[in-house]
Amino acid sequence: MQRHHFLRAALGAAAGAALLALAGPAGAQAWPAKPVRVVIPFPPGGTLDAVGRQLAQKLGEQTGQQFIIDNRPGGNGVIGGDIVAKAPADGYTLLFNASTFTTAPMTMKTVPYQVNRDFAPVALVAKAPLSVAINKNLPITDIKSLMAYAKSHPGKMTFAVGSIGSAGHLSTELLKRAGQLDYLIVPYKGTAPAFQDLIGGQIDGFIDPILGSLQYHKGGMLRVVAVTSAQRAPSLPDVPTVGETIAGYEFYSWYGLWAPAKVPADIIKRLNTEVNKALAGDLKDKLREQGLLLSPGSVEDFARFQASDMERAQKIVTEGNIRVE
């Protein structure tokens, strides 16, 4: 009797051990078991920050854990990027950034990480058509009059860029070449101070995601004369595209989520699923109202998109000889 009892106990223990072994990978799916830090490597107040905060809030609601935004500006986004590159690969430190993350290193002498080596793409969140915003006191109402003004004031007109190598910067370079214009490009540390100087008249123009300029345009504080998307933006239906004047011109910024390179694949996949779920919910309408085009898709979709975008950006950087001084 005792022997049967012992066998039963031994078999029970073995079964328990087998179940625990099976539960191993499932245990990893318990992520997130604590708050997740989302590093944004630019100051609060810009477009990137606004989108990141909205996404973090939705991810928090969906997972039952806080996704806490940690703004770490400096070094054209490199300081924040480096924090994430060196973070433990456990899924509790993530990077939310714009396409400037992949393009800015092309313009710099040294960067302490490599985008393709040190980061795992998680999800493409949205594409952002850019707006060509002009100081309201200038006699510019569309791309045609912008080109005329720039040509009659060679080397005098000034365009802000929020950061070197950003989508706004590359778009400003493209417009300069496509329109054969001669204007000065003035780098700023973030989009918020650039908009302040544009409204104040210290700078003449600024190309940046629509979300940043929308409220100022509607409030009459500056004038959006064109958008860089292929079609007119739903949030600015009366504003023409640059392509309506300069055939073939099209450009976007985009926003994505990355993790340190060695984060387990199941956590990356879970994160991707949660981002896509957030983009299918009420966040969809909010982001569309802000002029964004949603880009849900798999981890692999994002990796392919990133590779082709980096190739295009490298061409613009090389041809325009864009360098951080």
Side-chain angles (χ1 to χ4, degrees):
M1 190 72 180
Q2 260 184 333
R3 190 161 167 271
H4 284 301
H5 185 72
F6 173 76
L7 267 173
R8 226 183 0 251
L11 284 168
L19 279 171
L20 276 173
L22 282 171
Q29 287 164 15
W31 178 95
K34 61 180 183 180
V36 177
R37 174 167 70 146
V38 181
V39 174
I40 293 182
F42 288 94
T47 310
L48 175 70
D49 186 67
V51 177
R53 285 177 188 278
Q54 291 174 87
L55 179 65
Q57 188 184 340
K58 290 308 294 181
L59 293 176
E61 288 169 14
Q62 288 169 199
T63 61
Q65 286 291 352
Q66 275 188 299
F67 279 66
I68 299 162
I69 296 294
D70 183 8
N71 293 92
R72 292 299 187 100
N76 203 20
V78 169
I79 288 172
D82 196 36
I83 287 168
V84 179
K86 291 183 168 71
D90 56 8
Y92 290 100
T93 304
L94 306 172
L95 178 73
F96 184 76
N97 207 346
S99 45
T100 182
F101 167 58
T102 63
T103 55
M106 299 172 188
T107 70
M108 304 164 92
K109 281 193 184 112
T110 55
V111 177
Y113 51 78
Q114 286 179 27
V115 171
N116 291 329
R117 181 194 66 198
D118 298 319
F119 293 87
V122 173
L124 177 61
V125 175
K127 288 183 196 169
L130 311 175
S131 60
V132 182
I134 300 292
N135 177 270
K136 67 175 179 13
N137 298 319
L138 293 177
I140 298 170
T141 53
D142 54 21
I143 291 295
K144 211 168 271 183
S145 54
L146 188 160
M147 289 166 74
Y149 184 86
K151 283 174 179 170
S152 63
H153 299 79
K156 297 279 198 300
M157 197 176 180
T158 52
F159 266 82
V161 297
S163 62
I164 301 286
S166 64
H169 186 181
L170 300 188
S171 186
T172 307
E173 283 284 348
L174 261 189
L175 181 64
K176 192 178 191 179
R177 254 180 286 153
Q180 297 174 313
L181 306 175
D182 177 16
Y183 50 65
L184 296 171
I185 291 177
V186 184
Y188 277 76
K189 288 179 178 169
T191 57
F195 275 119
Q196 283 162 13
D197 277 6
L198 180 63
I199 291 161
Q202 286 89 355
I203 205 104
D204 298 327
F206 185 32
I207 302 179
D208 206 58
I210 289 172
L211 175 55
S213 62
L214 200 55
Q215 55 177 335
Y216 302 126
H217 172 75
K218 288 183 171 170
M221 297 160 83
L222 53 75
R223 187 181 298 127
V224 172
V225 299
V227 294
T228 65
S229 43
Q231 278 86 36
R232 292 192 180 197
S235 52
L236 290 166
D238 301 331
V239 175
T241 67
V242 177
E244 286 173 46
T245 304
I246 302 172
Y249 186 102
E250 184 183 352
F251 213 90
Y252 302 89
S253 176
W254 49 268
Y255 305 109
L257 193 65
W258 290 264
K262 292 185 170 66
V263 168
D266 59 337
I267 292 177
I268 299 282
K269 195 166 189 308
R270 168 85 194 279
L271 263 167
N272 176 274
T273 302
E274 293 297 342
V275 171
N276 286 326
K277 185 179 168 187
L279 294 178
D282 57 351
L283 184 60
K284 176 171 67 176
D285 298 328
K286 281 184 196 162
L287 294 180
R288 278 184 180 157
E289 278 164 24
Q290 292 159 15
L292 299 177
L293 310 171
L294 300 197
S295 298
S298 69
V299 174
E300 294 74 23
D301 291 337
F302 183 28
R304 277 191 296 272
F305 172 84
Q306 178 178 301
S308 70
D309 190 80
M310 285 174 79
E311 198 178 312
R312 183 191 185 200
Q314 185 64 68
K315 191 170 183 285
I316 297 168
V317 168
T318 305
E319 286 175 2
N321 194 25
I322 302 171
R323 291 283 173 270
V324 175
E325 298 303 328

